[in-house]
């Protein structure tokens, strides 16, 4: 049995699946990851992205927080890709219990 067939069998037989993924899952949908050329870590901001999106930064500097959020965190044209669709199907089937990114 090949690796892909083994994975299919595990998914078919499982009802407690947890998906561990990252920003790369959404790049196919046009959402940049963190470290690519267009990623959050390669942008020109006065603070690192993880600082800007923190609650404490928001409390201290809401204008900059919302500017960053509007410029870099909203992707109105993004559509679910095949990975998202498979995860949604697994959730509908009651198999997928959590997504951890």
């Amino acid at each position: 049995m090949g690796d892909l067939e083994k994975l299919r069998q595990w998914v078919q037989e499982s009802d407690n699946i947890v998906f561990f993924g990252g920003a790369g899952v959404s790049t196919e949908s046009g959402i940049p990851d963190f470290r690519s050329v267009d990623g959050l870590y390669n942008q020109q901001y006065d603070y690192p992205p993880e600082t800007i999106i923190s609650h404490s930064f928001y409390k201290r500097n809401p204008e900059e927080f919302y500017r960053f959020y509007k410029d870099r965190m909203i992707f109105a044209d993004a559509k679910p890709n095949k990975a998202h669709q498979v995860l949604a199907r697994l959730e509908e089937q009651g198999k997928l219990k959590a997504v951890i990114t």
Side-chain angles (χ1 to χ4, degrees), residues 8 18 23 27:
R8 281 191 185 113
V18 176
T27 55

Side-chain angles (χ1 to χ4, degrees), residues 27-47:
T27 55
E28 186 180 323
S29 295
I31 300 171
D33 62 19
F34 292 92
R35 291 174 184 84
S36 66
V37 173
D38 293 330
L40 289 179
Y41 288 119
N42 289 315
Q43 302 301 310
Q44 298 300 318
Y45 289 92
D46 294 336
Y47 306 93

Side-chain angles (χ1 to χ4, degrees), residues 2-53:
D3 290 342
L4 186 56
E5 193 54 42
K6 190 181 297 186
L7 176 62
R8 281 191 185 113
Q9 181 181 352
W10 289 343
V11 169
Q12 188 175 16
E13 294 172 355
S14 299
D15 60 359
N16 287 300
I17 297 171
V18 176
F19 176 78
F20 290 87
V25 172
S26 297
T27 55
E28 186 180 323
S29 295
I31 300 171
D33 62 19
F34 292 92
R35 291 174 184 84
S36 66
V37 173
D38 293 330
L40 289 179
Y41 288 119
N42 289 315
Q43 302 301 310
Q44 298 300 318
Y45 289 92
D46 294 336
Y47 306 93
E50 64 272 15
T51 298
I52 297 174
I53 60 174

Side-chain angles (χ1 to χ4, degrees), residues 34-101:
F34 292 92
R35 291 174 184 84
S36 66
V37 173
D38 293 330
L40 289 179
Y41 288 119
N42 289 315
Q43 302 301 310
Q44 298 300 318
Y45 289 92
D46 294 336
Y47 306 93
E50 64 272 15
T51 298
I52 297 174
I53 60 174
S54 70
H55 183 261
S56 58
F57 185 89
Y58 163 76
K59 296 298 270 184
R60 285 191 319 271
N61 196 341
E63 298 84 15
E64 182 69 9
F65 172 89
Y66 281 116
R67 182 177 78 83
F68 178 83
Y69 183 81
K70 181 180 164 230
D71 291 348
R72 300 304 307 154
M73 302 297 289
I74 297 175
F75 299 93
D77 296 332
K79 302 282 187 248
N81 64 46
K82 288 185 181 189
H84 299 130
Q85 293 165 357
V86 168
L87 292 170
R89 258 196 322 275
L90 290 171
E91 183 180 34
E92 288 169 358
Q93 295 169 2
K95 293 177 170 288
L96 181 67
K97 304 301 185 196
V99 174
I100 299 174
T101 63

